[in-house]
């Protein structure tokens, strides 16, 4: 039992760290998006690399922030039904939803996305757009 509690605490601290990273990533990505838009419309100088960095940032926010959101009970539910249950009923819904849906889907995503990342890493896949970025860093976010 102590091993499971230790694992749970480690996962919680990992999610907290990822959440704090994502909070800063929101700022950085917003600044990138603003800077790229200003450069494009005021100076006529857009950049595919900055645009892709913005997309990568938004993708990272979603993927890395999911655990933090779940830990702080901020995920989306069908609250009309969920609120009608007692605290014990809500706990059962959370447990069954996690075990029957969340964990299998997360495991399947990690399993199926790893070969995509590995191939992208192997060939050093680049964006097909002029001035685009490497693709493997964003593909690594899927199994992570």
């Amino acid at each position: 039992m102590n091993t499971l509690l230790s694992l749970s605490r480690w996962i919680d601290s990992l999610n907290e760290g990822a959440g704090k990273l994502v909070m800063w990533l929101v700022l950085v990505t917003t600044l990138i998006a603003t800077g790229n838009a200003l450069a494009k419309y005021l100076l006529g100088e857009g950049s595919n690399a900055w645009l892709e960095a913005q997309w990568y940032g938004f993708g990272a926010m979603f993927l890395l922030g999911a655990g933090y959101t779940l830990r702080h009970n901020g995920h989306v539910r069908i609250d009309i039904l969920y609120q009608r249950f007692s605290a014990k009923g809500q706990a059962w819904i959370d447990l069954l939803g996690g075990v029957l849906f969340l964990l299998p889907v997360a495991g399947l995503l990690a399993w199926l996305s790893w070969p995509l990342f590995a191939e992208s890493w192997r060939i050093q896949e680049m964006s097909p757009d002029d001035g685009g970025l490497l693709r493997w860093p964003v593909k690594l976010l899927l199994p992570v």
Side-chain angles (χ1 to χ4, degrees):
M1 187 63 131
N2 285 336
T3 305
L4 290 177
L5 286 174
S6 295
L7 176 63
S8 176
R9 286 187 195 105
W10 180 78
I11 291 170
D12 284 347
S13 67
L14 187 67
N15 283 324
E16 284 295 320
K20 287 179 181 19
L21 173 70
V22 167
M23 289 177 198
W24 284 105
L25 190 57
V26 169
L27 175 63
V28 170
T29 304
T30 302
L31 291 173
I32 289 171
T34 303
N36 197 37
L38 289 174
K40 181 176 181 181
Y41 293 110
L42 295 179
L43 306 174
E45 296 289 328
S47 167
N48 284 335
W50 286 110
L51 186 61
E52 287 184 14
Q54 170 187 325
W55 295 340
Y56 289 8
F58 285 129
M61 279 183 244
F62 174 76
L63 291 168
L64 298 176
Y68 179 86
T69 303
L70 184 63
R71 172 158 167 51
H72 290 277
N73 208 19
H75 56 286
V76 177
R77 294 192 195 92
I78 303 173
D79 285 332
I80 295 169
L81 299 175
Y82 188 80
Q83 289 178 353
R84 295 181 187 199
F85 290 99
S86 66
K88 188 175 181 180
Q90 290 175 353
W92 273 106
I93 290 172
D94 289 341
L95 177 67
L96 293 174
V99 170
L100 296 177
F101 299 105
L102 178 64
L103 289 177
V105 169
L108 189 62
L109 176 66
W111 177 263
L112 294 175
S113 64
W114 185 260
L116 298 173
F117 156 71
E119 179 63 12
S120 183
W121 169 273
R122 187 184 70 75
I123 65 172
Q124 292 297 295
E125 181 182 7
M126 294 288 295
S127 168
D129 298 322
D130 290 335
L133 302 175
L134 281 168
R135 287 277 169 100
W136 68 261
V138 76
K139 288 186 177 184
L140 177 60
L141 292 171
L142 290 168
V144 167

